[in-house]
Structures are given as C-alpha cells and as structure tokens.
C-alpha cells in the first residue's frame, strides 16, 4: 500500500518556530487553506509565541507546503525536517500520532513547560547557545580527556542532559566514554523543571550540553536552567536535535539506539542496529513501540516484547513500580479508548473555573476532545490529543 518511490512517495515534515505571531487568526487561515488544499494530515499548533507543526502527506505536496510557509518572513531561519517514510503501520499508530485528520489549534503557549499554570515560562530569548550537530559532536569528542588530563583541578566539567522522557531515553540516547549522560527519567516534559531544581547542583558552575528530539524542548529547558543565574550561564543545546545529528552522522555517532519520534515512524535508527531497550517483563533486548503497550497506572508507553504480549495483559511501568504501584493494585482498564478516557487515573486536577488554562480550541477537523485538552496539558505542548488519559507529549 505504501508508495515507496516517485512523486507519490509519502513523507512527514516537522518544524517549529519561536517568534511573536502578530496575527494568529490570519496564520490559522493560512494553515487551514494550505493544508486542506494539499491534503496534508497531522497537527498544527499556533500560539502567540510561535508555531509547532507535524504533518504528513505526499512528499511533493509537503515541499509545496514548505515553499508556501517560507514565503512568510515570520519563518525566516526555520529548520524544516522533511523525511520520506512509510504509511502508518496500523490504524492505532496512525490515530495516536494524529495522522488520521488535520488538527489546527490555537493554544496559549507552544510548549507548556511548567506544571504550575500560574508560573511564568522562562524567556526563550535567554535560551542556551545553539550548537550544530558537528559542533555538538566535537564538544563530546574532545571534552572528557581534555578536562581530565589538562585540567584535573578544574571543577568545570561537561554535563550532558537528555531533556526527553523516559519512554524515549529507553530506546536511545547519547553515550560517550568521557561524559556522563543525565537522564531525568521523567514521564512528561512538565516534570522537567522540578527535576532540574532538585539536581541544580549538578549543573552549577559546569558546562551544560543538552539535547532533545528536534530541539524545541531544549529551547525552553535551557532558558530555564539559565534563569537560575550565576553559575548557570554555560548552557548549550543541539540545534535540530537528534534528528539533525543522525542525518549528519548516519552511523549514529555518539547516539546509541533509536530516536523516538512523535509521528507514525515511531522511532528512527542509525545504521548501527544496536538495541538499547529491553522488554519490561522478560528483559530481552527490544525497542519496538508499535504495539502501543502502556502502563495501566500512568498510561506511559512500555516496551513489551512480542512473546510477552498477551491479550488483556496489565503492565506496570518502572516508574510506577518504583513508587510502589504493584500489579495487585491495578485499576481494571479495558483497552477500549472510550472507557479509558473516562477513567480518572493520574489526572492532574484542573479547577473547572480556571478559564486561563483553557486553550482556544479551533479544531475544525478532528473531533473536539471529550476531556478539556488541558486536563493534562501542563504536561504537553497542547499537541494532538491522545486517546488515553496521559497524553503523549508531542515535541520535536
Ligand atoms: Zn519479553
Ligand atoms: Zn506507570
């Protein structure tokens, strides 16, 4: 069914741009007419502070879309990540990744970083210094030995921070012999600020090198680290994220395993076929999320190998296990989406009268969610709506 060659080949494009949007409604109309006329499906999020887009369609039409976007000076310098790929593996993957409809929404903020809605997000203009994939690579390559041999008494060391979630770092991350990779082990992006607060002594006075999938999460998180003031100035981020790095280093370079992506490709590997993940149940090497197995407590994706997957099985992720949630206390959740949505597990309480939390939902295609989008939106970009209670964060 997939067209693998020629102008009809299928593809996805991902891009974001932080910039003040003077007229969000006008941009909404542009996306609405452009994407519909080209038959593109996926998610467009518009906010006063920028745009975040993940859409799929015929490659030739995606190129037309990019050309149209580029003609708007607001998008100067935008990094468009266009990739050819197969069609979604199955309906569930397509649905969860938001590729069964076109959803354009106006949201309050592009990325909701803080779990506390009343706290102001850090200033993007104060974000860390961008490093190209080649620069990032050479810093990692030279850092360790230089610091140890030439400057043993220098307390300034290089800290490598993975700004992604646990289900992403499970299947791939940067690993170098000389620099330790800090993996926050968080379920969602909005847990990152408090993890940074709790671990700030690991950053103070050091050079912090950070990365995420496509760069958008580092913009906010690096600005947050820098907002801590003296001792937190030296923050660098991988521009274009792991995606651009793997293009530059097709053998994976210092990145081991696969890059989790928030479109139906699910993950993207390098030519190095190393499997980093392991089955939650039997521990065998495994890194395929296409079965979409989830923790029954928190709905986070879990890795369960083909032979351990059983119909109606209940899974408990490592974070829930750590917090004492055993198999005995699993709420009985059917694998039926409509039922899952109504289960009040792990929902953050959002006061119903707090209108400041509600994004303007301009979804003209795709259905308006039955839960307010923001019942978990502190945790997400406002991107897409997952059929399950804990939404995925959909970042690049
Ligand atoms: Zn297994
Ligand atoms: Zn869990």
């Amino acid at each position: 069914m997939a067209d693998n060659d020629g102008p009809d080949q299928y593809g996805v494009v991902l891009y974001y741009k932080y910039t003040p949007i003077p007229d969000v409604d006008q941009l909404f109309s542009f996306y609405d007419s452009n994407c519909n006329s080209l038959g593109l499906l996926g998610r467009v999020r518009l906010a006063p502070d920028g745009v975040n887009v993940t859409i799929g369609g015929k490659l030739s039409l995606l190129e037309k879309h990019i050309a149209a976007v580029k003609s708007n000076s607001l998008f100067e310098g935008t990094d468009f990540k266009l990739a050819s790929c197969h069609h979604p593996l199955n309906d569930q993957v397509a649905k969860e990744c938001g590729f069964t409809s076109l959803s354009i929404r106006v949201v309050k903020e592009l990325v909701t970083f803080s779990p506390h809605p009343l706290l102001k997000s850090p200033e993007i203009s104060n974000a860390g210094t961008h490093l190209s994939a080649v620069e990032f690579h050479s810093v990692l390559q030279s850092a360790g030995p230089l610091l140890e041999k030439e400057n043993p008494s220098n307390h300034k060391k290089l800290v490598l921070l993975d700004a992604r979630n646990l289900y992403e770092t499970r299947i791939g991350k940067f690993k170098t012999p000389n620099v330790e990779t800090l993996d926050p082990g968080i379920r969602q992006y909005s847990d990152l600020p408090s993890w940074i607060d709790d671990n700030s002594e690991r950053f103070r006075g050091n050079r912090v090198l950070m990365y995420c999938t496509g760069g958008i999460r580092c913009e906010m998180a690096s600005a947050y680290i820098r907002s801590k003031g003296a001792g937190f100035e030296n923050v660098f981020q991988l521009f274009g994220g792991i995606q651009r790095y793997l293009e530059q280093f097709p053998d994976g370079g210092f990145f081991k395993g696969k890059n989790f992506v928030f479109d139906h490709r699910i993950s993207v590997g390098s030519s190095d076929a190393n499997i980093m993940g392991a089955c939650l149940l039997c521990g065998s090497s495994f890194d395929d999320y296409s079965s979409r197995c989830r923790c029954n407590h928190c709905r986070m994706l879990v890795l369960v190998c083909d032979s351990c997957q059983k119909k109606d099985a209940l899974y408990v992720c490592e974070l829930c296990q750590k917090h004492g949630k055993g198999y005995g206390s699993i709420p009985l959740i059917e694998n039926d989406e409509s039922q899952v949505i109504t289960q009040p597990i792990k929902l953050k309480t959002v006061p119903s009268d707090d209108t400041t939390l509600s994004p303007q939902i301009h979804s003209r295609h795709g259905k308006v969610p039955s839960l307010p989008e923001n019942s978990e939106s502190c945790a997400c970009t406002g991107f897409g709506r997952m059929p399950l209670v804990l939404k995925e964060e959909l970042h690049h």
Side-chain angles (χ1 to χ4, degrees), residues 141-185:
Q141 198 158 36
S142 59
L146 273 183
L147 286 172
E148 279 163 31
K149 285 177 197 158
E150 296 179 13
N151 227 343
S153 59
N154 191 345
H155 294 299
K156 221 179 215 183
K157 59 172 191 176
L158 190 64
V159 176
L160 183 59
L161 172 63
D162 192 319
R164 301 172 304 150
N165 303 318
L166 175 62
Y167 54 86
E168 300 167 80
T169 58
R170 267 191 209 129
I171 63 167
K173 58 178 138 182
F174 276 96
K175 274 196 160 179
T176 86
N178 300 313
V179 185
E180 183 199 3
T181 305
L182 295 183
D183 180 355

Side-chain angles (χ1 to χ4, degrees), residues 170 187 294-300 302 315-321 325 346:
R170 267 191 209 129
R187 279 193 189 92
R294 287 173 185 274
C295 171
N296 267 68
H297 286 292
C298 71
R299 307 310 300 172
M300 182 167 67
V302 291
Y315 308 117
V316 180
C317 76
E318 55 273 62
L319 292 181
C320 286
Q321 289 182 30
K325 293 205 161 81
K346 286 274 174 185

Side-chain angles (χ1 to χ4, degrees), residues 43-215:
R43 302 172 303 265
V44 176
R45 293 297 172 261
L46 309 170
D49 65 342
V51 175
N52 193 2
V53 177
T54 302
I55 47 176
K58 284 184 185 172
L59 265 187
S60 55
L61 301 178
L62 289 172
E63 278 162 6
K64 282 191 180 163
H65 170 80
I66 293 171
V69 173
K70 273 185 174 167
S71 69
N72 185 336
S73 60
L74 275 179
F75 290 89
E76 211 182 303
T78 302
D79 183 25
F80 294 91
K81 301 179 187 79
L82 178 67
S84 62
C85 62
H86 54 72
H87 284 264
L89 285 176
N90 57 51
D91 290 349
Q92 194 185 0
V93 169
K95 202 169 174 182
E96 286 199 20
C97 296
F99 279 78
T100 48
S101 64
L102 172 66
S103 158
I104 308 174
R105 287 190 193 149
V106 177
V107 293
K108 261 189 89 187
E109 285 180 304
L110 213 52
V111 172
T112 307
F113 183 58
S114 170
H116 311 292
L118 298 178
L119 288 182
K120 228 176 136 256
S121 291
E123 283 295 327
I124 285 297
S125 58
N126 189 36
T129 309
H130 287 157
L131 296 182
S132 70
V134 170
E135 290 167 331
F136 187 87
H137 184 85
S138 73
V139 170
L140 285 180
Q141 198 158 36
S142 59
L146 273 183
L147 286 172
E148 279 163 31
K149 285 177 197 158
E150 296 179 13
N151 227 343
S153 59
N154 191 345
H155 294 299
K156 221 179 215 183
K157 59 172 191 176
L158 190 64
V159 176
L160 183 59
L161 172 63
D162 192 319
R164 301 172 304 150
N165 303 318
L166 175 62
Y167 54 86
E168 300 167 80
T169 58
R170 267 191 209 129
I171 63 167
K173 58 178 138 182
F174 276 96
K175 274 196 160 179
T176 86
N178 300 313
V179 185
E180 183 199 3
T181 305
L182 295 183
D183 180 355
I186 50 175
R187 279 193 189 92
Q188 54 209 2
Y189 188 54
S190 60
D191 294 337
L192 189 56
S194 58
W195 184 89
I196 290 172
D197 292 347
D198 294 345
N199 291 273
S200 61
E201 286 313 309
R202 298 164 90 166
F203 302 117
R204 189 194 299 274
N206 292 327
R207 288 189 299 156
V208 181
L209 198 56
M210 55 195 297
Y211 66 92
C212 62
T213 316

Side-chain angles (χ1 to χ4, degrees), residues 34 71 85 147 214 221 248 254 283 340 357 376:
N34 179 274
S71 69
C85 62
L147 286 172
Q248 197 71 46
F254 289 122
V340 171
L357 284 174
E376 262 291 339

Side-chain angles (χ1 to χ4, degrees), residues 279-284 304-308:
C279 171
L280 177 71
L281 301 181
C282 72
S284 63
V304 181
C305 78
D306 296 337
S307 38
C308 289

